[in-house]
Amino acid sequence: KNEVEQSPQNLTAQEGEFITINCSYSVGISALHWLQQHPGGGIVSLFMLSSGKKKHGRLIATINIQEKHSSLHITASHPRDSAVYICAVRSKGGNQFYFGTGTSLTVIP
Amino acid sequence: NAGVTQTPKFQVLKTGQSMTLQCAQDMNHEYMSWYRQDPGMGLRLIHYSVGAGITDQGEVPNGYNVSRSTTEDFPLRLLSAAPSQTSVYFCASSYSAGRQGIQYFGAGTRLSVL
C-alpha cells in the first residue's frame, strides 16, 4: 500500500508554463514536506507544511488537511527547475516518514 | 557548513560481506534517519534515531543495524550484504523529533551488492 500518491509521474513543460504537481496521502500527518531531487541525486527540502500555503520565490505549496491533499505549483517555469519533486509526510504522533515516488519534471527551453 | 556528510559515495560489495555506511551532521540535530531509494519506489525509512542512545526501526529494517552513541554520528551497518540491498542510501537529519523541522539530506551512497 502507498501512503503517499503523487501525480503526474512525469511532466514535460515549455519554459514559462505554470506547473502543478499533486500529492494525496492516506495517513494522519503532523507535517507534509516537498523535496527536490536534482539530476545528480542530491535532495533538498523545499517546504514543510502543516496548514495553509507557503511561497518561496516562484514556488508555492498548499495543503488541504481535510481532503488530505497538497499541491506544489511552479510559476514561470525554467529549465533549471527540471528535477524530481517528492512529496513526503510525517506520521501524526510518530517519527515515521512516508514518501511518494516522485514527479519527474522536464522544462524545455 | 558541512551539513550532513555521508561516506562513501560509492561502494561495491560481494554477497555476504559486511560494511558500515557513515553519516555525520554538525547541526546538533536530534533526529537522524536512514533511507533507501530504489527505482520506481519512494524513499523508504530503514532506521531512525530521536537522540543519542535511542534508535528505532522504520519500514524496511531487516538486514540493517544502527547505533547512535553521539548526537553527531549515525552509522548504518550491513552485517551480511545481499543483492536485494543494492540501492542508493540517504542519511538525513532534522532539528527535533518533537518539534517540526525540515530534513537535511546527505549526498547519498550508491551501493551495489554482487
Side-chain angles (χ1 to χ4, degrees):
Chain A
K1 67 180 167 88
N2 293 327
E3 288 83 3
V4 181
E5 300 277 358
Q6 282 184 242
S7 63
Q9 274 191 301
N10 298 286
L11 184 55
T12 301
Q14 293 287 334
E15 183 174 354
E17 284 186 7
F18 181 84
I19 289 163
T20 296
I21 300 170
N22 296 300
C23 174
S24 297
Y25 54 92
S26 59
V27 296
I29 69 168
S30 58
L32 182 142
H33 297 247
W34 281 103
L35 311 171
Q36 181 190 55
Q37 186 167 26
H38 300 294
I43 300 173
V44 296
S45 183
L46 298 175
F47 294 103
M48 183 186 68
L49 295 163
S50 54
S51 65
K53 174 178 166 179
K54 285 191 176 179
K55 184 175 189 288
H56 180 68
R58 294 179 295 105
L59 301 178
I60 303 166
T62 64
I63 188 168
N64 185 318
I65 298 293
Q66 286 73 30
E67 294 185 4
K68 295 188 174 181
H69 181 269
S70 175
S71 293
L72 176 69
H73 305 286
I74 305 176
T75 62
S77 58
H78 190 277
R80 65 175 175 265
D81 297 325
S82 298
V84 175
Y85 293 84
I86 301 169
C87 175
V89 299
R90 185 171 191 163
S91 61
K92 191 164 191 161
N95 291 302
Q96 300 268 359
F97 279 89
Y98 301 99
F99 294 78
T101 54
T103 295
S104 180
L105 171 66
T106 303
V107 181
I108 300 170
Chain B
N1 293 335
V4 180
T5 304
Q6 270 185 253
T7 56
K9 285 189 167 46
F10 302 94
Q11 184 71 49
V12 179
L13 292 178
K14 293 182 180 177
T15 297
Q17 286 185 316
S18 63
M19 80 158 295
T20 299
L21 279 63
Q22 302 290 346
C23 177
Q25 52 89 11
D26 61 359
M27 297 173 281
N28 202 31
H29 284 170
E30 292 182 2
Y31 184 89
M32 295 186 74
S33 52
W34 276 102
Y35 302 94
R36 59 178 290 171
Q37 185 177 41
D38 300 296
M41 304 185 75
L43 287 150
R44 290 182 292 169
L45 181 64
I46 304 171
H47 284 285
Y48 66 93
S49 169
V50 299
I54 306 169
T55 63
D56 206 345
Q57 297 181 349
E59 186 181 352
V60 288
N62 292 341
Y64 307 95
N65 277 355
V66 291
S67 60
R68 185 98 178 266
S69 56
T70 66
T71 299
E72 294 77 20
D73 300 299
F74 190 45
L76 179 72
R77 296 184 187 83
L78 283 70
L79 300 178
S80 178
S84 60
Q85 293 178 305
T86 294
S87 188
V88 181
Y89 292 84
F90 288 95
C91 178
S93 73
S94 64
Y95 177 75
S96 170
R99 288 174 54 182
Q100 300 305 315
I102 65 171
Q103 289 207 81
Y104 295 82
F105 287 82
T109 297
R110 189 173 294 273
L111 175 67
S112 294
V113 183
L114 307 177

